[in-house]
Amino acid sequence: MTPLVEILSPGLYIVATPIGNLGDLSPRAADVLSRAAVIAAEDTRVTAKLLRHIGTKRPMTPYHDHNADHVRPQLIARMATEAVALVSDAGTPLISDPGYKLVRDAHAAGHLVVTIPGPCAAIAALTLAGLPTDRFLFAGFLPSKVKARGEAIAELGAIRATLVLYESGPRLGATLAALADALGEREAAVTREISKRFEEAVTGTLPTLAARYADAPPKGEIVIVVAPPGDAPPASEEDGDTALAEALTRLPAAKAAGEVAKRLGLDRKALYARALALKDA
């Protein structure tokens, strides 16, 4: 006789799954997946392998970008009386995967929402890269079109934080080349196959990594980690004169000196004297 399975409280359970090694699935995640009334999965074939690994079978329904608008109301309705588990193919749901609208609507309907934390490729890559982790920005996948990708990199480049990006093998060389062109000699790391047999983290400058992968696209899921920008060099007297000349077209000498001193970190009294000299010139 099959033993009864304790029923989970109704609601939404966000379950992180392994990004490679199936042994990384937490006991709590395995327990929730074994007891959920239904599992909303990005690809039910991938999730079926995970369920076989933990020795269970559960009803599943596909939930992905192409069917989310149709399936989401059905899942929300089921949460009133059943436990619905949400999983992605690998890692933490909602991180570059569909799901936030499901969570939003579950909250709006007053349902219980629980997260079962676990693997995340972005966080794992940060631990492997050897780059600053006190402040970082996860930017997902860059646009595939050259112009849009360049604009995105230009925007990200000014952010004083380590950058974390996802990428595919065939696109890696072009993405690294674009990053190198825009960001220069920043330190970076290319991590792939995290927690799998051929896990690796290759470090170097962006130009070095771009050259390495230009004609050798690697296999596997890839995370690029890029160091934050270094400290800007101190402003020179020439920088101060240029900024003052522009400011004096809008402001009196005292205010122009104050504005430039604050922006460039130069001595205000010296700038004021220089501003008077420039006005008299």
Side-chain angles (χ1 to χ4, degrees):
M1 182 176 179
T2 303
L4 293 175
V5 177
E6 183 181 351
I7 298 174
L8 290 170
S9 298
L12 175 62
Y13 294 77
I14 306 160
V15 183
T17 57
I19 57 178
N21 192 316
L22 295 181
D24 291 338
L25 186 72
S26 73
R28 184 182 176 211
D31 177 64
V32 168
L33 292 178
S34 297
R35 296 195 286 143
V38 63
I39 300 172
E42 186 178 1
D43 186 330
T44 56
R45 296 167 299 180
V46 173
T47 303
K49 294 178 182 178
L50 181 62
L51 295 181
R52 286 197 296 271
H53 174 73
I54 61 176
T56 191
K57 289 184 178 181
R58 303 305 299 156
M60 290 185 287
T61 187
Y63 184 76
H64 45 69
D65 283 333
H66 302 295
N67 73 351
D69 289 343
H70 171 69
V71 175
R72 188 163 55 252
Q74 302 171 25
L75 294 174
I76 295 297
R78 295 189 68 168
M79 290 174 204
T81 57
E82 296 178 317
V84 175
L86 173 67
V87 300
S88 64
D89 285 352
T92 300
L94 283 73
I95 308 300
S96 273
D97 287 310
Y100 86 88
K101 291 181 180 178
L102 183 64
V103 175
R104 179 196 62 192
D105 290 359
H107 280 303
H111 297 322
L112 173 71
V113 178
V114 179
T115 187
I116 292 81
C120 174
I123 300 301
L126 275 169
T127 67
L128 290 169
L131 296 172
T133 56
D134 55 324
R135 189 175 188 221
F136 60 88
L137 174 72
F138 173 66
F141 287 90
L142 291 173
S144 58
K145 294 185 177 179
V146 173
K147 182 180 179 182
R149 182 174 58 203
E151 291 172 348
I153 293 173
E155 181 181 351
L156 293 170
I159 297 172
R160 302 195 68 79
T162 294
L163 305 177
V164 184
L165 308 165
Y166 285 169
E167 195 48 277
S168 67
R171 296 191 349 166
L172 179 62
T175 295
L176 287 171
L179 287 166
D181 287 344
L183 306 182
E185 296 281 338
R186 287 201 203 178
E187 292 295 317
V190 172
T191 68
R192 70 180 191 94
E193 296 293 87
I194 296 173
S195 83
K196 299 178 184 178
R197 181 180 178 185
F198 297 107
E199 173 183 291
E200 69 174 0
V202 180
T203 61
T205 65
L206 283 170
T208 299
L209 293 172
R212 174 182 177 129
Y213 291 107
D215 299 312
K219 296 181 180 180
E221 298 178 352
I222 297 160
V223 185
I224 303 170
V225 185
V226 183
D231 293 332
S236 65
E237 289 186 8
E238 183 179 352
D239 294 330
D241 282 355
T242 301
L244 272 176
E246 188 281 324
L248 285 169
T249 65
R250 302 178 283 105
L251 301 168
K255 289 187 176 181
E259 178 186 283
V260 174
K262 183 176 181 180
R263 177 152 56 91
L264 298 184
L266 297 174
D267 181 73
R268 185 181 181 282
K269 289 184 178 180
L271 284 169
Y272 178 60
R274 185 61 181 151
L276 293 177
L278 287 173
K279 287 191 71 174
D280 294 338

